[in-house]
Amino acid sequence: MGETALNFLLSASFYVSFAALAIISSSAARADIIIQGRVVTMNDAGDVFPDARVWLRDGKIVAILKRGELLPREAKNIPVINTNGVIYPGMIDLHNHPEYAHYPLLPIARKYKDRYEWRWYDDDYNKRITYPQQVLANANYYDLGLEIGRYGEYKALVGGTTSLQGGRVGQPYAKSECLVRNIETSPVASRLANSRVDLGRDADEWKKIQDEYAKGILVVHLAEGPSARMADEFRYIKQSGLLGPNLIAIHGVGLTEPQLKEMAGAKSKLVWSPLSNFILYGKTANIDAARRSGISISIAPDWAPSGSKSILGELKAADLVNKNELKMPFTDRELVEMVTRRPAEAMNWTDKLGQIQPGFLADLIVVDSRNADPAVDPTGSPYRNLIDATEDNIALVFVRGEALYGDAILLQTVRGGFTGLELLARPDSARGAALKKRREKAIAPNCPDTALPIMSVRDTVARLQEGMKFDADYTARRVSIEQISRDLLLCGETKPSDPPTADDARQMLACRFGLPFEETKLSPLLTIDDADFFPRLMANPNLPAYMKALPDYYKP
């Protein structure tokens, strides 16, 4: 599709409906590409090269050519694309639950002691998350697991994430190397990650965890909450021989300063998710003590129901904690390291990802230069530029050297055409005068070199929106008579009609799952497109006062 056709799609007629281009089964990625911009290497020397060029070939970085350096002879005919932006290493998210990215921010009205309290003893949580997820994802019900997983990857990608934790390894989207890298399955290094939410409940499970630690990187939720029993989890980890360099501990809210020091001494790693911690517990990890201990700290967003939409949003929450509660012990560069270099180190990817270096894998993001050019602003910082950026400022995202997301015109230019791309529609709340100020975004939603089916974002969104209504007619069509019969029997009800009627399905949803509990809208991919995100966040009673400044990052 040529530029004329693309410009037509970007005309006023596009805004009338949720439009998408036809998806063609082709990656349309160039074998070689050179992108130009301000390059923030994140290397040991802190090199930032103005107006440099980065040569990508076969998924790797071949060379960085600084201003004035000539292209090698073999690169003379390679297209050079001036992005007019700032080029960073792709961001690595070490704490997420992508299969819950379709849920909106929860209306939390109380403070919890730890994760067990809300996960196991809060009936409203079950009706908002646990039961809907079972119906939506389980193959015996709506069987939307693939759509759910893909939506989680879309949301990560639009926020500049190139590697993601938390995908379920048994799901097709996570097993196949498709959009973002999944740290549990992507063969960046020989030792893959094993992710766990809960610790062992019996000897057999603890033995399995120990085996996982021996074979790879153990990523585990540890001390999520300030209750006394959370600090006890550290003791269980230590006694089980899991305290060491291959342990990545998520949250750490209940860890004491001596425990953090012990973790640092063992070269374990910590993942910090401040916004989710505040929303649920009114408290986050003792991150200043963690800093003093020397432990390696990464930043990650947790999940959509109680956190930022992506790692880019979580950078802002960490920035506010750093400015207000911690009184600036971390520099802007150190915060950016926590989403690039530090997670790469935690995964033993130090020679592969987290920096822009020749020979490294070509996972990169290009971000608008808002305050990164000292020629325009003498105080401009490329690190502050990323912290302040929103999803709208993500101009390009490369994974494995392929441009998968970004500004529609720029993405088409980099890929050499619009084959395999889809324009992202914006929700109704984002239309009108505000929409005209934003560039249109496009995505390459499919992976033709895998066994995954061709699936547009438009179709994924439509299926999830339909499922999240928990409509009785839809349920009667989607769920087998055998499953409805089993559920009604558990409820003490009579057998359904054959085929099941809407009344049968309605009764099954109500008695078995308490659904529909309340109207649940699909969470938009971009923060600025989510009309409910900040009102719900600002209504949360657990946020510190300074966190109320979070919406300011998203003002034009």
Side-chain angles (χ1 to χ4, degrees), residues 101-118:
H102 52 292
Y103 291 106
L105 195 67
L106 289 170
I108 303 294
R110 54 166 294 196
K111 189 181 295 183
Y112 297 98
K113 296 177 181 178
D114 53 49
R115 71 173 178 269
Y116 302 115
E117 189 175 12
W118 55 267

Side-chain angles (χ1 to χ4, degrees), residues 301-362:
D302 199 346
W303 66 339
S306 69
S308 304
K309 287 184 182 289
S310 69
I311 197 168
L312 189 65
E314 197 68 9
L315 257 180
K316 292 150 189 54
D319 187 43
L320 286 175
V321 177
N322 188 45
K323 287 177 177 176
N324 294 276
E325 188 168 321
L326 304 181
K327 306 305 179 186
M328 300 289 286
F330 297 112
T331 66
D332 288 350
R333 176 186 161 95
E334 287 173 326
L335 289 176
V336 173
E337 285 180 347
M338 293 180 194
V339 298
T340 54
R341 284 185 59 130
R342 298 301 167 228
E345 291 167 2
M347 286 297 300
N348 290 330
W349 292 349
T350 51
D351 59 344
K352 299 287 195 307
L353 289 169
Q355 302 177 51
I356 302 178
Q357 299 266 44
F360 276 52
L361 299 177

